[in-house]
Amino acid sequence: MAKAAETKTPTRKSTPAKGTRSAAETEKIRAALAGRRDELRHEYDQNLIEIAGLQRERLGDSAGDDQADTGTKTFEREQEITLANNLLERINQVERALERLDEGHYGWCERCGNPIPVERLAAFPSATLCVKCKQLEERR
């Protein structure tokens, strides 16, 4: 009779419970994320140094500028600042991923709670949404 009950239960893949990642896997992920964060911070710091240097050059090299020159310099400065802000945002995303790893939520979609595919995490380690939720977000 036990066999009959076994054959009636449907076979389905169960998703692993949150936090089932081994300690070695967690540390490998943590090291990769921390390394990426450090790379981004270094790039951000270098970017700020470059911006400061360019600002000093522009202040000393503005004699005889017309409106077009001033506009071009302003546009270039805004682009440089935007690049620095983008780097800062990426640093924040990686730090958030590290927080999620500590909390045991890394690799799980913040919106629907489903696992984020390993391929997506490999391509974008600080992802907080699964592919389906990210597509829905981008459509809005």
Side-chain angles (χ1 to χ4, degrees), residues 36-54 56 80-81 83-89 91 95:
R36 182 66 180 142
R37 179 196 57 208
D38 295 343
E39 289 172 12
L40 289 169
R41 279 188 181 159
H42 178 72
E43 190 176 341
Y44 178 74
D45 292 341
Q46 289 300 112
N47 200 310
L48 290 181
I49 291 168
E50 285 180 30
I51 289 172
L54 290 171
R56 281 191 295 276
E80 292 157 1
I81 291 170
L83 290 173
N85 286 338
N86 287 344
L87 283 170
L88 192 56
E89 177 61 29
I91 292 168
E95 287 176 348

Side-chain angles (χ1 to χ4, degrees), residues 60-100:
D61 187 29
S62 61
D65 284 355
D66 61 7
Q67 288 180 342
D69 291 335
T70 303
T72 299
K73 288 180 182 180
T74 301
F75 176 74
E76 288 172 353
R77 184 179 64 243
E78 287 175 357
Q79 281 188 315
E80 292 157 1
I81 291 170
T82 299
L83 290 173
N85 286 338
N86 287 344
L87 283 170
L88 192 56
E89 177 61 29
R90 289 168 54 199
I91 292 168
N92 290 335
Q93 288 174 349
V94 173
E95 287 176 348
R96 177 69 182 127
L98 284 166
E99 289 172 9
R100 289 175 51 81

